[in-house]
Amino acid sequence: MDPQPSPARQWRVPRSLPLVKALGALAVTALGLLLAAGDPIRPALAGAVAAALLAWALRDLVAPVRLTVDPEGLTVIRGFAGRRRLPWAAVEAIRLDRRSRRGVTAETLEIDAGESLHLFGRRDLDAPLDEVAAALTAARSAAR
């Protein structure tokens, strides 16, 4: 009897993140208008920053799932809202990079697919990166 294939598992941005970015855009706009004092440059700069934050929030709404794993491989986000399928044969390495600087530790999940390197942070996946790396490694081992 063949074992049942494991279902796909996915990681996404936190559900509250687009709202936080939109509120940040609103705050930057208000601050730019409040501090304008007759200067048109400050509100224009605030508007540009707010537009960038809103575009970033829109990306989180349009493509919230950043990483999916299944028995055949991975699907990663590409560009603004595109997807790229990586079969296990294309995945050369899955690493967790930890760097400490001035008392702050930054973690990045790296998926090396030969011609491309896919990087994910904690806010991209809404899960501890060591757990995600372990799940990917286990899925990769089970597929072999």
Side-chain angles (χ1 to χ4, degrees):
M1 184 174 181
D2 290 333
Q4 291 289 332
S6 61
R9 184 167 177 202
Q10 54 184 227
W11 292 271
R12 56 179 293 136
V13 296
R15 294 186 191 278
S16 61
L17 197 55
L19 178 62
V20 170
K21 291 174 183 176
L23 289 174
L26 183 64
V28 166
T29 302
L31 193 60
L33 292 173
L34 184 67
L35 299 176
D39 180 14
I41 300 294
R42 289 179 185 160
L45 287 174
V49 170
L53 279 171
L54 288 173
W56 196 16
L58 180 64
R59 179 183 188 225
D60 292 346
L61 291 173
V62 172
V65 176
R66 298 293 197 248
L67 176 65
T68 304
V69 62
D70 60 42
E72 287 79 41
L74 302 170
T75 303
V76 296
I77 193 157
R78 180 176 135 187
F80 186 79
R83 304 250 182 266
R84 180 169 181 210
R85 182 74 181 150
L86 299 172
W88 287 120
V91 177
E92 294 180 7
I94 299 168
R95 291 184 292 270
L96 184 60
D97 183 35
R98 282 192 180 105
R99 295 176 189 237
S100 293
R101 185 173 181 175
R102 297 183 182 171
V104 177
T105 300
E107 288 186 331
T108 306
L109 176 66
E110 298 178 358
I111 299 173
D112 186 353
E115 295 179 9
S116 61
L117 181 65
H118 304 275
L119 306 172
F120 299 96
R122 172 81 166 89
R123 296 287 174 243
D124 289 319
L125 305 179
D126 196 23
L129 296 181
D130 55 344
E131 292 177 13
V132 176
L136 296 179
T137 303
R140 185 179 185 196
S141 297
R144 290 183 178 183

